[in-house]
Amino acid sequence: MGILFGCGIIAFLDEAVFHQLLHWHHFYDRSTQAAGLVSDGLFHAFSWFATVASLFLFADLRRRGALDTRRWAGGILVGVGAFQLFDGLVQHRLLGLHEVRYGVDLLPYDLAWNGAALAFLVAGVLVLLAVRRAGRRRG
């Protein structure tokens, strides 16, 4: 459940910061400006749908007394890292939907983008492994 929240929240931050505030790119930059804006709107809708849906799941876990906040936090980190790595490797490199930024040397941006993604992903996996180990010791 935390993974969905992590995907939704990082997608929202990506769209708000890099698409709207900095104007570095659109979700889909291989067409017209209008198509780019429509793609940003769809991307924004996805990010909020994922975020809100995950919060309903969070509330349900809490209501049933099944919420493990450490697992939730680890899931968030995994979701952030996995989404950002997917964005950097698949959407930027493989499909060429857009770049992080145009008119600059992309290597530092790609290294920072994908490096941060790996850091989030590894941190999340480590948290989830620690939660699993702690659960085995109790059981």
Side-chain angles (χ1 to χ4, degrees), residues 46-132:
F46 157 78
S47 70
W48 275 115
F49 175 77
T51 303
V52 170
S54 68
L55 291 174
F56 275 99
L57 295 170
F58 178 90
D60 182 58
L61 286 172
R62 189 164 181 235
R63 179 188 57 80
R64 292 184 289 125
L67 178 64
D68 182 338
T69 55
R70 294 169 302 156
R71 177 179 278 157
W72 175 263
I76 291 171
L77 292 170
V78 167
V80 166
F83 181 87
Q84 192 164 329
L85 194 59
F86 175 82
D87 184 39
L89 296 179
V90 175
Q91 294 177 6
H92 296 181
R93 295 286 132 251
L94 184 64
L95 300 176
L97 297 178
H98 63 266
E99 298 291 346
V100 173
R101 190 170 183 191
Y102 293 96
V104 297
D105 177 17
L106 286 175
L107 184 61
Y109 289 90
D110 285 341
L111 291 174
W113 193 265
N114 294 323
L118 282 172
F120 280 114
L121 192 57
V122 168
V125 167
L126 291 174
V127 169
L128 292 175
L129 288 173
V131 169
R132 177 184 277 176

Side-chain angles (χ1 to χ4, degrees), residues 10-74:
I10 196 64
F12 168 75
L13 289 173
D14 176 16
E15 201 271 331
V17 173
F18 296 105
H19 299 220
Q20 292 178 7
L21 296 175
L22 297 176
H23 300 265
W24 281 5
H25 63 262
H26 295 292
F27 178 77
Y28 183 72
D29 273 338
R30 299 181 82 185
S31 186
T32 65
Q33 181 80 359
L37 290 172
V38 169
S39 71
D40 283 350
L42 294 171
F43 182 50
H44 191 69
F46 157 78
S47 70
W48 275 115
F49 175 77
T51 303
V52 170
S54 68
L55 291 174
F56 275 99
L57 295 170
F58 178 90
D60 182 58
L61 286 172
R62 189 164 181 235
R63 179 188 57 80
R64 292 184 289 125
L67 178 64
D68 182 338
T69 55
R70 294 169 302 156
R71 177 179 278 157
W72 175 263

